[in-house]
């Protein structure tokens, strides 16, 4: 398994904290967000990482390179300095860096959680899924819906009313995407052929277009904590208690 960290965003909601640094290097509890994530993923045995770069790319590259040397891990970089490619385009653009790895763990840099990554990986292997998306029961403006077998079937924007996929049934439970997912590199390669490697597109849109030919599952995180560090006020709240 290789880890792809989405770290290229502009962090506009965090200004002025991101006026002079990338979102990944904004500090929380005395450490940059990226350091929190790398340290946590290393506890699961993760040693191979890819980061995408756009906002203050040299600053992020320098920090990650120094961290990798000090902790004896491998960090590669997917350059999006010319154009941000969104969550799906970022994946297809980085495909050559995944090499022969069969599975990619995608993780937003601004998500803090105690989600058990190894359990998620086991669940994907045992179910032989093409992708496994971590979700939670929480308030959101957009929801994913699975059938009784856990297969992704629909998506809805509750503000606009827009839906994608199958008709939403009463038995479907609205679940919010956590910004963490596992998928086969084979699926990324198929998306690269379909959408290209230099075109921005949403990974959720790509998943919704894949539900009829691929096994896309939702994995609900029950209990524990999950936090999206998307607002300045989040950085002034206490650190969550880690298990």
């Amino acid at each position: 398994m290789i880890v792809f960290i989405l770290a290229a965003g502009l962090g506009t909601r965090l200004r002025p904290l991101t006026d002079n640094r990338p979102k990944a290097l904004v500090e929380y509890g005395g450490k940059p967000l990226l350091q929190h994530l790398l340290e946590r993923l290393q506890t699961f045995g993760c040693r191979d990482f890819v980061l995408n770069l756009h906002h203050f790319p040299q600053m992020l590259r320098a920090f990650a390179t120094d961290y990798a040397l000090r902790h004896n891990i491998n960090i590669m970089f997917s350059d999006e300095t010319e154009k941000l490619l969104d969550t799906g385009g970022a994946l297809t653009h980085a495909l050559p860096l995944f090499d022969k790895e069969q599975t990619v763990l995608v993780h937003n840099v601004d998500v803090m959680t105690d989600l058990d990554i190894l359990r998620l990986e086991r669940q994907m292997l045992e179910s032989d899924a093409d992708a496994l998306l971590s979700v939670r029961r929480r308030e959101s403006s957009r929801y994913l819906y699975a059938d009784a077998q856990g297969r992704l079937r629909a998506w809805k924007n509750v503000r606009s009313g827009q839906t994608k996929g199958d008709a939403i049934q009463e038995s479907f439970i609205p679940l919010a995407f956590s910004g963490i997912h596992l998928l086969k590199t084979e699926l990324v390669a198929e998306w690269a052929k379909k959408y290209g490697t230099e075109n921005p597109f949403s990974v959720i849109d790509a998943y919704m277009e894949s539900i009829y030919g691929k096994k896309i599952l939702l994995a609900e995180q029950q209990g524990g904590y999950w936090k999206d560090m998307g607002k300045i006020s989040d950085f002034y709240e206490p650190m969550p208690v880690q298990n």
Side-chain angles (χ1 to χ4, degrees):
M1 179 175 67
I2 191 168
V3 181
F4 182 43
I5 299 176
L6 290 167
L10 299 174
T12 53
R13 292 182 298 165
L14 295 182
R15 288 176 177 165
L17 299 179
T18 51
D19 283 345
N20 60 359
R21 70 190 63 197
K23 175 170 59 176
L25 297 186
V26 175
E27 292 193 357
Y28 177 53
K31 297 179 185 178
L33 292 179
L34 177 58
Q35 184 174 342
H36 281 289
L37 180 54
L38 289 172
E39 287 178 349
R40 181 173 168 273
L41 292 175
Q42 284 177 260
T43 66
F44 295 108
C46 299
R47 304 194 62 78
D48 295 302
F49 301 85
V50 176
L51 272 66
N52 63 338
L53 306 174
H54 179 81
H55 191 51
F56 291 99
Q58 294 306 323
M59 185 181 295
L60 186 53
R61 185 188 293 269
F63 176 89
T65 299
D66 176 69
Y67 184 94
L69 288 171
R70 288 187 290 108
H71 294 270
N72 193 30
I73 61 174
N74 179 39
I75 300 181
M76 298 174 285
F77 303 97
S78 181
D79 193 336
E80 294 181 33
T81 53
E82 293 294 321
K83 178 174 62 175
L84 278 170
L85 296 172
D86 205 342
T87 51
L91 262 170
T92 59
H93 185 70
L95 179 61
L97 299 176
F98 301 153
D99 195 24
K100 297 179 181 179
E101 292 290 342
Q102 299 300 305
T103 308
V104 184
L105 170 67
V106 185
H107 202 303
N108 289 359
V109 75
D110 56 358
V111 164
M112 299 192 71
T113 179
D114 62 355
L115 178 67
D116 187 336
I117 297 300
L118 295 182
R119 182 179 179 184
L120 198 70
E121 184 182 30
R122 286 195 301 271
Q123 187 175 347
M124 180 171 171
L125 292 173
E126 291 169 1
S127 63
D128 194 31
D130 294 291
L132 190 66
L133 285 65
S134 178
V135 292
R136 285 180 69 91
R137 300 193 190 201
R138 61 179 176 85
E139 186 175 348
S140 177
S141 61
R142 291 162 292 186
Y143 290 104
L144 298 172
Y145 297 81
D147 61 21
Q149 288 71 47
R151 294 185 73 141
L152 175 62
R153 289 303 185 191
W155 170 93
K156 183 177 182 179
N157 184 321
V158 295
R159 291 176 181 170
S160 68
Q162 180 188 14
T163 62
K164 296 179 181 179
D166 294 342
I168 298 173
Q169 302 178 21
E170 290 186 6
S171 60
F172 292 174
I173 299 173
L175 296 162
F177 182 46
S178 295
I180 304 167
H181 50 119
L182 277 164
L183 73 163
K184 293 179 179 179
T185 52
E186 176 184 318
L187 181 56
V188 180
E190 290 184 20
W191 289 346
K193 290 179 181 178
K194 183 175 183 178
Y195 305 108
T197 60
E198 301 295 333
N199 300 313
F201 66 91
S202 162
V203 74
I204 295 298
D205 287 346
Y207 277 134
M208 292 311 306
E209 292 185 13
S210 300
I211 62 174
Y212 301 110
K214 298 294 181 180
K215 190 175 185 180
I216 314 297
L217 301 182
L218 302 187
E220 183 181 355
Q221 181 187 4
Q222 298 178 335
Y225 73 84
W226 179 94
K227 185 177 180 63
D228 171 17
M229 305 294 291
K231 306 184 299 294
I232 290 180
S233 59
D234 293 324
F235 289 81
Y236 295 98
E237 293 179 358
M239 288 278 294
V241 177
Q242 300 194 28
N243 294 330

